[in-house]
Every structure is written in structure tokens, then in C-alpha cells.
Amino acid sequence: MLTDPQARASEMELIREAQQGSRAAFDALVRQYDQAVLRLALHLTGSEQDAEDIHQEAFLKAYRYLGNFRFECSFYTWIYRIVTNLCLDLLRRRKSRREDQAVMVDSSGEEMDLLSNISDDRAGANPDRELHRKILGSKIREALDQLTPRERMVFELKHYQGLKLRTIGEMLNTTEETAKNTLFRATRKLRNNLAEMR
């Protein structure tokens, strides 16, 4: 275990050690990105159960394919690419089954509405505002559901995760320009869909 600061290897050294079979080096990489991967999967899927499954599958894939890592991007970008691809696959399957994206299953297996969990401290003082917020949230969700899984992924990675278009392009195995065009299409569709819903 890398316990004292001088023994801590850089990320690249950890990857090289893990590629040579060091379980401790791979575990250190997992610990470094564990929460970020889970947060990203939870945000993109909207389901604790799906997020945990993707989190686990992403690190299994990373372990299986670590030998293919060529140091052309950061480990962060590489693991996020795995997560976004797994989420894209899930969203495509979900879209084909038309599951209700507003309902999430929590860790106890109970269904809950996503928007009902967003609290507004002023809501009690202003029920009208709370109602408008819920209606707007519902309209935004409906508009997001009209996007293709790839458009939705790019939009959410940019606006909810705050990632740069270059990074999003790398994650989705495409160029920054393609990610920019996808974001433009997604934004235009959202604008049109939201305008129609008024």
C-alpha cells in the first residue's frame, strides 16, 4: 500500500504498475476516481441502482482493458469515457423501452419522483412558486426525453457536469467540433420543444 507521501506514485506510475499486475496500484486508482464515477453515473442515469451497476461495470472494464491504455489522455478522461458509453447504452435501451425518466428507484427499492426530492427552502412560503418549479421541471424533463441519447449525454456533460467540449469529444471518441455540433443541435431542439410546451 502507498501510505507515506514519498511512496505515492504519480497517476502514470500507478497505471504502469497496474498494467504490470499490481492490484494495489489499481485499487489506488479506483479510490482516486470512485466517487466521481458514481456521481457521474447517478447524474446521467437518474437511478441509484443503475448508477451502482454502471460504477461497478466501469471499473471492471477499466481493469480488464487497462493493458490497452496508451497514455494519450488522462485516466480521468479514459474512465469517464467508459462511464459515458455505458450510460449511453443504458439510455438507448431505456428510450427503446420508454421508461419513465422522472421516476427513480432508491437503494431500498422504493420508487420516488426526482423533482419531489429537490427542496426549495422558500417553497413552504410560496406554494405557487413550488408549483411553477414542478411544472417547469416536468417540461424540461419532457424536452430532454425528445433528444437522442447522444444529444442528451453531450448536453448533460456540458451543462450539468461542467466539462469542456474537448473533454466531452474525447469521452465520446469523437472530435471537439462534433461535440460542439451535437450540443448546438441539442440546445436548438430543447429551445423548440420548450417553446411548443408553453
Side-chain angles (χ1 to χ4, degrees):
M1 289 303 269
L2 305 168
T3 49
D4 69 273
Q6 293 172 331
R8 281 186 203 277
S10 71
E11 183 177 277
M12 295 301 170
E13 289 168 345
L14 280 176
I15 294 167
R16 285 193 186 93
E17 288 173 26
Q19 285 177 329
Q20 293 165 3
S22 166
R23 184 61 196 251
F26 185 75
D27 288 348
L29 287 167
V30 170
R31 277 193 307 278
Q32 198 168 332
Y33 295 101
D34 191 39
Q35 290 307 304
V37 164
L38 190 57
R39 268 194 311 274
L40 178 66
L42 181 60
H43 182 80
L44 294 175
T45 63
S47 157
E48 283 185 34
Q49 186 61 56
D50 288 339
E52 286 170 13
D53 291 347
I54 282 174
H55 169 266
Q56 195 170 3
E57 196 176 339
F59 281 112
L60 283 171
K61 271 193 163 186
Y63 186 74
R64 195 175 308 130
Y65 296 109
L66 193 63
N68 298 344
F69 186 81
R70 295 285 169 255
F71 302 93
E72 292 159 359
C73 62
S74 67
F75 187 79
Y76 162 88
T77 300
W78 189 69
I79 192 74
Y80 263 46
R81 183 185 298 157
I82 292 171
V83 174
T84 53
N85 284 328
L86 290 169
C87 289
L88 260 177
D89 292 343
L90 177 79
L91 290 173
R92 284 187 188 114
R93 285 194 308 272
R94 209 187 257 176
K95 198 168 182 81
S96 69
R97 285 198 315 253
R98 288 279 178 224
E99 287 181 6
D100 182 7
Q101 309 255 331
V103 175
M104 178 171 127
V105 179
D106 67 15
S107 52
S108 65
E110 291 291 310
E111 282 192 355
M112 56 195 202
D113 186 283
L114 285 175
L115 283 178
S116 66
N117 290 331
I118 301 170
S119 68
D120 178 358
D121 295 338
R122 299 158 306 191
N126 193 339
D128 193 42
R129 182 186 293 139
E130 178 71 3
L131 179 64
H132 284 297
R133 188 188 59 74
K134 283 192 174 184
I135 291 169
L136 178 63
S138 174
K139 286 181 178 180
I140 290 171
R141 215 174 31 252
E142 276 180 53
L144 281 170
D145 285 345
Q146 301 298 312
L147 301 178
T148 67
R150 195 172 198 72
E151 289 167 347
R152 182 177 180 152
M153 183 72 62
V154 171
F155 184 84
E156 291 196 4
L157 287 170
K158 176 69 179 147
H159 293 291
Y160 296 134
Q161 299 296 315
L163 298 176
K164 289 181 170 47
L165 285 167
R166 193 184 75 236
T167 306
I168 295 168
E170 287 173 6
M171 285 177 180
L172 297 175
N173 244 352
T174 187
T175 64
E176 179 178 355
E177 191 60 31
T178 303
K180 189 178 187 176
N181 291 337
T182 306
L183 179 65
F184 177 77
R185 270 196 322 276
T187 306
R188 193 175 58 209
K189 273 189 190 176
L190 281 172
R191 238 185 242 126
N192 292 340
N193 292 339
L194 286 169
E196 288 170 15
M197 289 177 193
R198 278 187 185 149

